Amino acid sequence: MRKKKIIVGILILSMIASLAACGKEAVSDGRGGYETSRIKEALQESLDNASTTEAAVDLPDDTATPNKPAGTSIASDEVVEEFHSYLDAMYKEYIEGDSYTFHDCVRYKDQCDAQLPEIATWGDLTIDESHQEEALEENKKGLLELEKFKDYQLPYYDQITYDMLHDQYEMAIESADLGFYMSNPFSPNGLQSYIGTIFTDFRIDDRDDLNLYLDLMDTLPDLFDAELDYMRKRAEHGYFMSDANCDDVIQQCDDYMQGGDKHFLITTFDKRLKNMKFLTDAERTSYSTRNKAAVKNGFIPCLQKLKDLLTELKGTVPAEGGLCNFEGGKEYYEVVFRNRAGTSKSPAEMKDYLANKMEEHLNELMTIAYGNPEAYQAFQDLYYSDGGLWENDMEPSEMLDYCYEHFQDDFPQIGEIPYSIEYLDKDLWNIMDGILAYYNHPAYDDEENHIIRINGKDTDELFGTIAHEGTPGHMYQFAYFMSTDPHPIRDIYAETAYKEGWAMYTEYIASSYYDFGQGEYNATIAKLANLYTKMGYLAMAYADLMVNYYGWTEDDVADYREEIGFGRDGSDWCYNSVTGDPGTYQSYVVGYYMMQDLRDKAEREIGAKFDVVDYHKVILSAGPISFDMLSDIVDRYIMEHK
């Protein structure tokens, strides 16, 4: 997901509540992959036709990752098969837990041994402290079951999966007694902000999918009622949101409820019905009528209930500001930070790191401004022109194709990736104001439905947004990783910081492909554009840490932004963003710097023999894992290539 220079994604502390999912089961194809033949065959066909090297890194299957203790036994075929069965069972249980997740993960149900729930459900909606205790016990049992394999040296990719799951379990167990009432499902970037896209992007291949769509719409009140009950309990325990955040969510509700018979979930659904060749005209009319009733009697009342509750509870929060102002909030933020930043480094350790990065960027900016004033002036002229820095006549799909054509010297090739890129429905532009665009990857057994959606309200930085979401960003990263045939559990517990860090890292690389029309100044303008973007994100991440961990006030944020040259304007927006969705920016900022630091280290230590394409294979093949794990893998790569 690409947020505004200063935006937010969705804070989901899955470790605390939903990692109780770790006992979850699935089905094996023999290697530990799960129904991957379709996407694998399609990508392999592209590889065969490509002019460059193969997608996956050639790593011996009997090689352990660097953090595996020396002297452990190499796993036998029987042990490896048992490990795959363990992962299969975990995945199967996970996707069978609710109807939406199953549909999101599986396209070809007849080729899958897992079963879609017989009755449409959003899953176990129990939200209470006793349920949390049960989840803790399940996680402890799950960790013990996983550790049956700890004394074996598993094949390379299996060992990465083991280490990833072990890390997730440990975080869940360590944080089990923290912050039960702190997680906010209806933050400004919470459930209500993206519930519409769950339905507009819902894949419909046949009548079964169509009926499931409507069944989920009908049962949406079950999901909202459970979360609203939890919100009321949060308020009773002294945990609620600020008035400013409350007002933002109330406005989202109002925006969502507009439209009447022209509501976007009615009009977009009717447009989709017209293209469903498997329906008769009479069936289209019947489904259209049913959907209108579901929107009016299910979807809209859910938003009205949320608005009513927020209106009632507004002003009742006993403490304002960041998480550290609430009882247990500082400890909770440490968990949030670790989850969002993908590193075991604490907020205290990262405070100086982020401050130093800002100082470096300010120095880089001054060096260019004074050392190459002509290029700096050309950048300023473009930046403040009516068309903006990235003005061009290309359509989004043309931008994506342009990036694809130009990235081939830097990244391993996998051939063309089938995708759909469209603007969001206009009714969602304001509701999703903080989001420039997002990428939805296809089901694990589907190579076709790569989806990119763009918010047409703000397209000033559309080129970078397309690179971030598409190629060489999220879409490319996912397609490449799928070409290595990973177990699907890797996607369920994928590290957000890796994914967003990769997307930011590649977005900055892609800026060098762009022709600003300034001849010899193009490279410098690209560097300045990246510096502006980096500093904007970095200012948000630093404020997030200082507000939520050290207790900065809105005035403190304003003073900081003025000190680094941003001015005081926008400080209220910044403050409200980081109190509303703590930790969000860390995935983008810490994720990027960790990703870039690893590249810099490898390039520095390998020297003239450094091959950027080969290096990217290592990063991409490892897949979304913590930076602690990725650092070990890169260290090993450096040792082997010096």
Side-chain angles (χ1 to χ4, degrees):
M1 181 184 294
R2 171 68 148 69
K3 51 259 160 336
K4 276 188 179 175
K5 212 163 268 203
I6 329 199
I7 95 178
V8 267
I10 300 153
L11 173 62
I12 302 175
L13 259 188
S14 59
M15 299 122 19
I16 292 179
S18 72
L19 209 112
C22 280
K24 313 208 149 184
E25 301 164 330
V27 189
S28 177
D29 64 2
R31 182 208 172 290
Y34 186 89
E35 301 295 350
T36 58
S37 57
R38 292 180 60 85
I39 187 169
K40 202 177 173 192
E41 288 170 5
L43 287 172
Q44 189 58 52
E45 183 178 349
S46 296
L47 291 174
D48 292 341
N49 295 327
S51 60
T52 51
T53 57
E54 75 282 357
V57 178
D58 293 325
L59 291 167
D61 280 347
D62 60 352
T63 304
T65 48
N67 55 344
K68 192 69 174 175
T72 49
S73 303
I74 294 177
S76 65
D77 291 345
E78 291 76 12
V79 170
V80 173
E81 184 176 353
E82 184 181 356
F83 182 67
H84 291 169
S85 296
Y86 166 82
L87 298 179
D88 293 344
M90 177 183 288
Y91 184 69
K92 182 170 184 281
E93 186 176 346
Y94 185 93
I95 65 173
E96 288 184 338
D98 71 88
S99 305
Y100 176 75
T101 297
F102 186 96
H103 178 270
D104 195 46
C105 293
V106 178
R107 183 177 188 183
Y108 300 101
K109 297 181 284 292
D110 58 337
Q111 300 176 25
C112 176
D113 289 346
Q115 297 297 315
L116 178 71
E118 292 184 8
I119 299 175
T121 174
W122 292 96
D124 183 359
L125 300 177
T126 305
I127 308 175
D128 57 38
E129 293 185 75
S130 64
H131 189 68
Q132 187 183 25
E133 293 172 3
E134 292 174 8
L136 173 60
E137 292 306 311
E138 285 186 36
N139 284 329
K140 288 180 177 178
K141 291 177 182 177
L143 180 58
L144 287 174
E145 188 175 357
L146 176 66
E147 287 185 339
K148 291 189 299 185
F149 305 100
K150 70 178 180 179
D151 294 328
Y152 296 101
Q153 205 175 66
L154 293 164
Y156 184 84
Y157 292 111
D158 289 332
Q159 188 63 53
I160 291 176
T161 302
Y162 173 93
D163 291 338
M164 180 198 71
L165 290 175
H166 198 278
D167 188 49
Q168 291 286 316
Y169 272 127
E170 284 191 330
M171 281 195 290
I173 292 169
E174 289 171 7
S175 60
D177 60 345
L178 294 176
F180 179 73
Y181 290 110
M182 287 188 184
S183 183
N184 184 2
F186 295 116
S187 69
N189 285 276
L191 174 61
Q192 81 293 335
S193 71
Y194 63 89
I195 190 67
T197 62
I198 284 179
F199 290 101
T200 56
D201 291 340
F202 193 92
R203 187 189 68 253
I204 299 177
D205 292 330
D206 52 33
R207 286 182 180 81
D208 288 342
D209 290 339
L210 191 51
N211 287 321
L212 180 59
Y213 174 104
L214 293 167
D215 288 343
L216 286 172
M217 183 76 78
D218 287 338
T219 57
L220 196 59
D222 296 339
L223 174 61
F224 267 73
D225 287 348
E227 298 291 0
L228 289 170
D229 182 61
Y230 170 71
M231 284 289 285
R232 186 176 291 280
K233 290 177 181 176
R234 289 184 73 239
E236 291 171 356
H237 284 79
Y239 301 100
F240 195 55
M241 65 180 85
S242 69
D243 288 356
N245 291 148
C246 208
D247 287 339
D248 286 343
V249 178
I250 288 173
Q251 184 60 56
Q252 287 176 339
C253 292
D254 285 338
D255 291 341
Y256 255 134
M257 291 187 288
Q258 293 178 2
D261 286 342
K262 298 296 183 181
H263 190 278
F264 74 93
L265 283 178
I266 294 175
T267 57
T268 56
F269 185 80
D270 285 345
K271 288 177 185 176
R272 297 178 74 184
L273 284 176
K274 292 179 181 179
N275 295 321
M276 295 179 192
K277 306 302 183 184
F278 54 86
L279 296 177
T280 65
D281 288 342
E283 287 174 323
R284 289 189 182 90
T285 300
S286 176
Y287 277 118
S288 176
T289 301
R290 183 181 168 191
N291 180 60
K292 286 179 184 177
V295 172
K296 292 181 177 180
N297 301 326
F299 185 86
I300 291 177
C302 285
L303 276 299
Q304 185 63 55
K305 283 184 181 180
L306 173 57
K307 177 183 177 179
D308 291 344
L309 181 64
L310 296 182
T311 302
E312 174 191 342
L313 296 177
K314 180 182 173 183
T316 64
V317 61
E320 288 279 357
L323 284 174
C324 62
N325 293 330
F326 295 84
E327 183 180 355
K330 191 164 186 174
E331 295 77 11
Y332 181 72
Y333 182 75
E334 290 176 349
V335 177
V336 172
F337 187 87
R338 182 175 177 183
N339 184 40
R340 299 298 303 191
T343 175
S344 60
K345 290 181 170 62
S346 69
E349 291 177 287
M350 293 301 294
K351 173 177 173 288
D352 290 341
Y353 176 89
L354 294 179
N356 289 337
K357 288 296 183 185
M358 181 62 79
E359 186 175 353
E360 287 176 18
H361 293 334
L362 287 169
N363 288 336
E364 288 179 84
L365 196 61
M366 292 301 100
T367 298
I368 295 173
Y370 289 110
N372 194 350
E374 295 85 1
Y376 186 76
Q377 187 59 53
F379 169 78
Q380 291 285 308
D381 291 343
L382 278 177
Y383 192 82
Y384 292 107
S385 67
D386 291 339
L389 186 63
W390 303 92
E391 182 182 22
N392 62 67
D393 297 326
M394 288 189 287
E395 293 296 319
S397 60
E398 293 175 314
M399 292 183 192
L400 193 53
D401 292 341
Y402 180 90
C403 286
Y404 182 82
E405 291 169 6
H406 287 78
F407 90 132
Q408 302 192 29
D409 290 338
D410 296 316
F411 300 93
Q413 301 305 299
I414 58 172
E416 294 186 9
I417 305 168
Y419 66 85
S420 166
I421 184 167
E422 297 176 359
Y423 285 95
L424 285 168
D425 187 278
K426 286 187 177 181
D427 290 322
L428 287 171
W429 289 6
N430 285 329
I431 298 169
M432 301 184 71
D433 181 48
I435 306 299
L436 290 176
Y438 63 86
Y439 165 67
N440 269 348
H441 67 67
Y444 195 81
D445 59 348
D446 174 18
E447 75 276 8
E448 297 173 357
N449 286 286
H450 295 268
I451 294 173
I452 296 174
R453 295 287 180 261
I454 304 165
N455 190 334
K457 184 178 180 180
D458 187 351
T459 58
D460 290 344
E461 300 178 18
L462 190 55
F463 183 84
T465 297
I466 297 302
H468 182 107
E469 302 298 339
T471 299
H474 287 309
M475 183 174 74
Y476 167 77
Q477 180 268 314
F478 180 81
Y480 186 100
F481 188 50
M482 286 300 100
S483 75
T484 69
D485 195 21
H487 194 283
I489 206 70
R490 290 293 310 276
D491 184 48
I492 300 301
Y493 298 108
E495 284 279 357
T496 303
Y498 170 104
K499 292 191 290 186
E500 295 301 346
W502 172 266
M504 296 302 295
Y505 165 81
T506 56
E507 177 184 336
Y508 296 139
I509 291 175
S511 68
S512 67
Y513 309 149
Y514 189 83
D515 184 1
F516 294 94
Q518 298 297 309
E520 63 180 304
Y521 300 143
N522 268 343
T524 303
I525 289 173
K527 185 173 183 179
L528 286 166
N530 287 345
L531 279 173
Y532 269 45
T533 302
K534 290 175 186 178
M535 291 169 66
Y537 277 97
L538 183 51
M540 291 299 294
Y542 191 74
D544 173 86
L545 191 156
M546 298 305 293
V547 167
N548 288 294
Y549 198 67
Y550 289 101
W552 267 14
T553 64
E554 186 175 328
D555 284 341
D556 293 326
V557 172
D559 290 343
Y560 166 69
R561 291 175 67 84
E562 187 172 45
E563 179 185 342
I564 61 175
F566 280 38
R568 303 180 76 86
D569 290 347
S571 298
D572 55 345
W573 185 90
C574 171
Y575 182 76
N576 291 333
S577 295
V578 301
T579 56
D581 290 277
T584 296
Y585 282 92
Q586 306 305 341
S587 297
Y588 299 83
V589 174
V590 177
Y592 161 67
Y593 288 114
M594 295 288 103
M595 192 70 74
Q596 184 64 55
D597 284 353
L598 290 176
R599 157 76 181 270
D600 292 342
K601 180 180 180 181
E603 195 163 1
R604 181 175 61 251
E605 297 196 17
I606 294 174
K609 294 192 292 183
F610 179 79
D611 184 311
V612 67
V613 174
D614 193 49
Y615 173 79
H616 284 152
K617 286 182 183 180
V618 174
I619 301 299
L620 289 161
S621 297
I625 53 177
S626 74
F627 286 105
D628 295 351
M629 290 177 59
L630 194 60
S631 180
D632 287 337
I633 291 170
V634 170
D635 283 346
R636 172 184 176 149
Y637 175 77
I638 291 171
M639 287 189 297
E640 292 177 346
H641 289 78
K642 275 186 175 182

